[in-house]
Structures are given as C-alpha cells and as structure tokens.
Amino acid sequence: GAISYEWKYKTIKEWIKHRKKAVLVDNPLASFRFVESFKMLAARVEYHMSKINGKILVVTSVCENEGKSSVAGNLAITLAKKGKRVILIDGDIRCPAQYLLLGMSPKKENEFLNGRTGANNILLNTERKRLGFIGGKVSYSASTEMLGNRQLPVLIEACSKIVDYVIIDTPPSGMIGDAQIFAQHADAVMVVARQNV
C-alpha cells in the first residue's frame, strides 16, 4: 500500500511553535486522503492475514525515520475503528515511541521481559475502544538479550488468544537484530519504506 504524505502542523500556531505532534487517522483535522489510504491498507492487511489465518503482524523498516511507528500506530487505530480487537506492542525497546504517538504516559515500567515481574497490568487501555497497548517509555540498551529469553513467545501467544490482531512495532531491521527476533513469532511482516529515499 501507499500512504499519502500528511503535514504535521494543522494550524499556523502549531507551525510557529513547531509542536511535535503525531499524525493520527482519528485526528479530526487529518485529510480525507490520508485516512482513506490507511483504510485501504487495513483492508489489505485483513485480507492477507485471513488467507494465512494469521493474527500477529510485525511492522519494521530498514532505516530510521521511514515512518514505521506512525504506520503501526495508525494501522492499529484503523483496525480498531473497524471493530477489530487490537493490541499494539512497542517492540522498539531501545527507543520507545508509541506511548508518545498515542498520547499516553505509562506510570510504571513492567519488567516482564526481564523476568523481574509478572504479566499483571502489562496491557494498558487506551482512549480508543478495542485498542490495547503494551509498551513503556524507558530505554533498554540490552534489548536483544531481553527479547531472546522465554518471556517473549509467552507474551505474544497470550496476546493472540484474546484479540483479532497483534501489531508489533520494531526497531529498524537494518540496524538492530530485534526485528528478526519478533519476526520468528509473527505470521507476517510489513516493511515500511519512505518514498524516493
């Protein structure tokens, strides 16, 4: 699919202040073309996932700043708006961004992948119906070691049992091996590429 470019700043005041704000499909000021491109992408994802009877989708890119986090977040929101139950996992443990994109502020970190705490309260509710979120705001430099333990498959399997789709936003696959670890547990992988770059 192709996602049309959407200008971040919707008003002159935002442009002057350069407020960092995510471009989301449920923003009332989002353009029709932008919203429709995500509806088309969501329809294609549903079609392909139904063909392979899959639920777990990894979203990655080769380099940074190609828009993979925005695509993963907006795809999750679009599927939730269509009535699907979705969990969005921020798999970029080295540089988490989904909590900012969704406008959330997790109060405490869950050390589930480290094996230090249980799975209690790991799934956070968002303001959006049928959309859950797993992630935090603390960076971990030893992400590959954390993901290589036995906790990750348990987490993904548990999530896939309670929702229609699990969307995992990973770090760029060309820089860190984390995306490949997530891909081992996924039904499909989506690669986001920035046009003409």
Side-chain angles (χ1 to χ4, degrees):
I3 306 299
S4 65
Y5 181 77
E6 184 79 356
W7 184 247
K8 269 186 185 176
Y9 308 111
K10 299 295 179 187
T11 64
I12 294 171
K13 190 176 182 181
E14 284 180 353
W15 182 74
I16 291 169
K17 289 186 176 182
H18 286 285
R19 278 172 53 199
K20 282 201 169 190
K21 198 173 181 185
V23 181
L24 298 175
V25 290
D26 57 356
N27 182 339
L29 298 175
S31 69
F32 175 79
R33 191 172 163 195
F34 181 72
V35 174
E36 286 302 308
S37 62
F38 270 102
K39 285 182 181 176
M40 286 174 58
L41 180 64
R44 287 182 180 152
V45 166
E46 283 185 278
Y47 172 71
H48 287 292
M49 294 299 261
S50 67
K51 277 191 358 184
I52 60 171
N53 196 24
K55 286 185 168 188
I56 304 157
L57 175 68
V58 163
V59 180
T60 190
S61 64
V62 176
C63 302
E64 289 182 325
N65 299 320
E66 292 199 85
K68 65 170 179 53
S69 294
S70 296
V71 169
N74 280 312
L75 179 61
I77 293 168
T78 304
L79 287 167
K81 285 176 78 174
K82 289 180 81 174
K84 304 294 181 185
R85 291 167 301 147
V86 183
I87 291 178
L88 176 63
I89 298 176
D90 192 347
D92 194 347
I93 302 169
R94 288 176 188 251
C95 186
Q98 286 296 340
Y99 76 97
L100 290 170
L101 192 88
L102 297 173
M104 298 181 68
S105 182
K107 291 187 172 57
K108 66 176 188 172
E109 289 300 312
N110 193 305
E111 299 283 336
F112 178 73
L113 289 177
N114 279 335
R116 294 180 188 150
T117 62
N120 299 343
N121 303 322
I122 194 169
L123 180 62
L124 305 173
N125 292 320
T126 65
E127 296 174 353
R128 298 154 181 96
K129 289 181 181 176
R130 296 177 292 277
L131 178 61
F133 173 67
I134 295 176
K137 55 185 177 181
V138 175
S139 300
Y140 296 96
S141 58
S143 60
T144 308
E145 291 77 12
M146 285 175 66
L147 297 173
N149 67 24
R150 297 178 186 173
Q151 299 291 77
L152 181 64
V154 171
L155 174 65
I156 293 174
E157 182 67 26
C159 290
S160 67
K161 287 180 180 176
I162 59 172
V163 293
D164 299 309
Y165 294 106
V166 178
I167 297 176
I168 305 171
D169 175 26
T170 70
S173 58
M175 302 172 77
I176 305 166
D178 294 5
Q180 286 86 343
I181 295 171
F182 279 110
Q184 292 173 12
H185 308 290
D187 299 311
V189 177
M190 177 189 293
V191 179
V192 178
R194 195 168 161 195
Q195 189 175 17
N196 299 327
V197 176

